[in-house]
Amino acid sequence: MNTPKQKTETEMAQIIDGKAIAKALREDLKTQVEKIGKSPGLAVILVGDDPASHVYVKNKIKACEQVGIKSFESRLPEKATQAEIAAEIKAFNDNPDVHGILMQLPVPDHLDSDELIHLIDPAKDVDGLTFINIGKLVAGDESGMVPCTPQGSLTLIKSVEKDLSGKHAVVIGRSLLFGKPMAQLLLAENCTVTTAHSRTQNLDEVCRSADILVAAVGRPKMVKGDWIKPGAIVIDVGINRMDDGKLCGDVDFDAAQETAAAITPVPGGVGPMTIACLLKNTVKAAQS
Ligand code: NAP
């Protein structure tokens, strides 16, 4: 009986090192900040006691310090009202030392996060979530702010393949935060884009036709190894906490690695790029 041949290391997918690419981007930003001659300022609004949000904010502030961005923090109690947070946003909109404003999501349930986001001056909307910036992305106007995670994901894809023209890209997920802007960015790169979601039929077949597969669902290892087209670039955006405390993505990494040409790990893939692109957007806002 023939035993299946083990793949050699050189036949396995290239692992896209998001940590290293994010580090190089941060170093470049540090040089850019030195040239601006003033400190770009990033204001972070954090409402409530969500421990994960506190960790994210701490990491963002630390990353700001490393590249010379001044951070402004506004921490509000769990019971803060819509009007109180609106007043904080207005104060940051009016502060000339603040170039970027970020409202850490999610906010407590009694608040209307959409309404709050749309109070942010679009020129300072470093998350790219206001209608002006969404519209600019769709219109191909490069003066807008592109949401950080899709922006970082595109950088990772282009670290492997510069010319994406004519490739079939499948994005699983259609959130405003990730899936929709990701699809727009790939369209702007002349990909043929399919957006898949919870109602998509035959998702495995759809994925199998993807030259570029981007998974942003939030379901551990949902994308199986045999859903991957040989030679595909796979970007795993999902962050799922397993029972053993470890993180895993939406893609079955070990199986996908056998077929893909390149794949991002979780952790160490898309995650580090999100913060690096937040810094990039803040520097861009300070430069304009
Ligand atoms: P979301 O708003 O919950 O959107 C999830 C999307 O997945 C929805 O469009 C949903 O479809 C789709 N979906 C759900 N079940 C599905 C299924 N069985 N088959 C196909 N599609 C399905 O989440 P999100 O904010 O976009 O985030 C997605 C994941 O990315 C999460 O794990 C999140 O933690 C992670 N994330 C990571 C970063 C990072 O920095 N690495 C940043 C942002 C998000 P419907 O629209 O039909 O419901």
Side-chain angles (χ1 to χ4, degrees):
M1 197 178 88
N2 285 339
T3 46
K5 190 172 153 259
Q6 287 277 315
K7 287 214 167 197
T8 64
E9 213 167 282
T10 48
E11 288 171 322
M12 301 287 263
Q14 171 194 340
I15 295 174
I16 306 172
D17 188 346
K19 254 188 181 169
I21 296 170
K23 184 166 178 263
L25 177 55
R26 288 198 306 271
E27 275 160 15
D28 178 52
L29 288 170
K30 197 172 174 195
T31 312
Q32 284 187 47
V33 169
E34 281 160 10
K35 284 187 193 152
I36 301 177
K38 64 178 175 190
S39 283
L42 176 68
V44 183
I45 301 169
L46 176 59
V47 187
D49 309 317
D50 178 47
S53 292
H54 278 260
V55 173
Y56 289 139
V57 167
K58 196 174 129 210
N59 290 344
K60 285 171 185 172
I61 288 170
K62 195 171 147 209
C64 280
E65 281 165 10
Q66 285 168 352
V67 300
I69 293 175
K70 188 173 177 210
S71 48
F72 298 74
E73 247 187 292
S74 170
R75 288 176 187 250
L76 292 138
E78 186 82 22
K79 286 188 177 150
T81 64
Q82 191 87 357
E84 283 166 337
I85 302 163
E88 290 293 306
I89 294 173
K90 184 172 184 318
F92 286 136
N93 280 343
D94 294 342
N95 184 342
D97 294 330
V98 171
H99 304 92
I101 303 171
L102 163 94
M103 197 172 60
Q104 184 65 42
L105 298 173
V107 292
D109 287 346
H110 67 281
L111 298 167
D112 180 343
S113 60
D114 286 348
E115 190 188 88
L116 292 169
I117 283 165
H118 296 305
L119 295 175
I120 297 174
D121 175 351
K124 298 187 178 188
D125 165 31
V126 281
D127 258 345
L129 295 175
T130 55
F131 288 147
I132 295 276
N133 284 316
I134 295 168
K136 284 186 175 183
L137 177 60
V138 175
D141 179 336
E142 291 182 2
S143 72
M145 293 286 168
V146 176
C148 304
T149 309
Q151 186 185 155
S153 299
L154 182 66
T155 304
L156 295 181
I157 296 168
K158 294 191 85 172
S159 74
V160 179
E161 181 86 58
K162 289 210 164 38
D163 183 8
L164 307 182
S165 183
K167 306 258 181 227
H168 183 206
V170 173
V171 180
I172 321 176
R174 56 175 165 179
S175 67
L176 203 53
L177 202 68
F178 185 81
K180 284 179 181 161
M182 186 75 243
Q184 285 299 327
L185 287 174
L186 290 163
L187 190 60
E189 293 290 330
N190 298 313
C191 290
T192 303
V193 183
T194 301
T195 299
H197 45 78
S198 65
R199 314 288 170 90
T200 298
Q201 295 189 358
N202 306 322
L203 183 61
D204 55 340
E205 275 174 35
V206 173
C207 291
R208 245 174 249 128
S209 69
D211 303 306
I212 299 163
L213 179 61
V214 183
V217 179
R219 286 178 172 239
K221 299 186 184 183
M222 187 189 89
V223 175
K224 308 296 174 210
D226 64 358
W227 293 20
I228 312 286
K229 180 178 174 176
I233 299 172
V234 179
I235 303 294
D236 192 349
V237 185
I239 303 178
N240 307 291
R241 177 81 57 190
M242 307 303 283
D243 290 342
D244 61 5
K246 287 188 183 156
L247 293 181
C248 94
D250 289 345
V251 178
D252 182 347
F253 180 86
D254 292 338
Q257 209 190 353
E258 301 259 339
T259 317
I263 185 166
T264 58
V266 178
V270 174
M273 293 303 290
T274 299
I275 294 190
C277 289
L278 172 69
L279 306 179
K280 189 176 171 192
N281 280 351
T282 306
V283 172
K284 178 179 172 176
Q287 283 167 331
S288 49

